[in-house]
C-alpha cells in the first residue's frame, strides 16, 4: 500500500496552512495515534505517512514544522503501548513539549481540532484561540472554543 493511499485531507487545509505560514505561524500537528498502540499499523508506517503528508503541503505552498504523536492507549494498547501518557490528548503534553522546543507563546497561538479532546488539550495548555471544526459538541463553549463549520472561518482569524 502506498503512503497516503487512503488518506483524505480536510477541505481547505492547504490554503489554511499556506496562509498561516505567510502570517508567520509555525504549523505543528499534535495527534493521538492509538492505531499504533492497538497494532493496526507501526510507528514506521506512521512516519512514512507523515513524510508523504509533509510533501503534499510543500507542493501546495505550505509546510508542517513538526509532528507530535502519542501511540499509547491505556485500555486497548498492546504491549509497551498499553499505558497512560501525559501526551495523549486530552492531556496537554504534546502541546507543551512543542511550545518548549519551539519557544511558542501559547496565549497568542491557535489550535484547530475536530474532537473535543483536542480542545481540552489546547485549553489545558493555555492556547489562546481554540477552534472546533465540524462538531456541534456542547462542551466546546465551556473550553472557550469557537465552533467552525469549515477552515475558512479559522483562516479569517490569522
Amino acid at each position: 500500500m502506498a503512503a497516503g493511499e487512503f488518506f483524505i485531507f480536510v477541505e481547505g487545509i492547504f490554503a489554511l496552512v499556506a496562509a498561516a505560514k505567510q502570517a508567520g505561524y509555525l504549523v505543528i500537528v499534535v495527534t493521538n495515534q492509538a492505531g499504533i498502540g492497538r497494532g493496526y499499523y507501526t510507528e514506521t508506517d506512521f512516519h512514512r505517512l507523515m513524510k508523504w503528508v509533509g510533501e503534499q503541503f510543500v507542493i501546495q505552498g505550505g509546510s508542517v514544522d513538526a509532528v507530535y504523536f502519542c501511540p499509547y492507549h491505556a485500555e486497548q494498547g498492546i504491549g509497551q503501548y498499553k499505558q497512560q501518557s501525559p501526551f495523549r490528548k486530552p492531556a496537554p503534553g504534546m502541546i507543551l513539549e512543542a511550545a518548549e522546543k519551539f519557544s511558542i507563546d501559547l496565549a497568542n497561538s491557535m489550535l484547530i481540532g475536530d474532537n473535543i479532546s483536542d480542545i481540552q488539550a489546547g485549553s489545558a495548555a493555555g492556547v489562546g484561540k481554540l477552534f472546533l471544526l465540524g462538531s456541534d459538541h456542547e462542551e466546546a463553549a465551556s473550553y472557550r472554543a469557537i465552533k467552525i463549520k469549515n477552515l475558512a472561518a479559522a483562516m479569517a482569524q490569522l
Side-chain angles (χ1 to χ4, degrees), residues 92-106:
M94 290 185 282
I95 298 168
L96 296 174
E97 186 173 289
E100 184 176 324
K101 179 176 181 181
F102 291 96
S103 300
I104 296 170
D105 177 2
L106 290 173

Side-chain angles (χ1 to χ4, degrees), residues 5-152:
E5 185 176 345
F6 298 105
F7 195 88
I8 299 171
F9 289 96
V10 173
E11 185 177 335
I13 192 65
F14 293 120
L16 175 64
V17 168
K21 295 303 291 181
Q22 285 185 322
Y25 281 89
L26 292 172
V27 174
I28 299 176
V29 174
V30 292
T31 176
N32 288 342
Q33 289 297 314
I36 295 169
R38 294 175 181 174
Y40 299 155
Y41 49 93
T42 67
E43 287 191 47
T44 299
D45 294 333
F46 175 75
H47 289 298
R48 186 179 312 119
L49 176 63
M50 289 300 98
K51 181 178 185 296
W52 178 83
V53 165
E55 291 166 354
Q56 302 314 298
F57 277 100
V58 170
I59 290 167
Q60 297 293 325
S63 64
V64 174
D65 294 289
V67 176
Y68 287 80
F69 71 101
C70 181
Y72 305 109
H73 195 285
E75 293 86 35
Q76 298 175 358
I78 298 169
Q80 69 182 14
Y81 296 111
K82 186 173 184 170
Q83 61 177 281
Q84 292 283 354
S85 173
F87 296 98
R88 182 170 176 76
K89 295 179 289 179
M94 290 185 282
I95 298 168
L96 296 174
E97 186 173 289
E100 184 176 324
K101 179 176 181 181
F102 291 96
S103 300
I104 296 170
D105 177 2
L106 290 173
N108 288 309
S109 297
M110 61 190 301
L111 178 142
I112 302 167
D114 63 356
N115 192 301
I116 194 66
S117 66
D118 300 324
I119 302 306
Q120 292 167 326
S123 179
V127 175
K129 293 181 185 175
L130 303 169
F131 298 94
L132 183 58
L133 176 63
S135 176
D136 220 13
H137 205 289
E138 294 304 317
E139 270 187 278
S142 65
Y143 293 100
R144 61 181 183 21
I146 299 167
K147 296 179 195 176
I148 56 175
K149 294 196 185 295
N150 57 52
L151 292 178

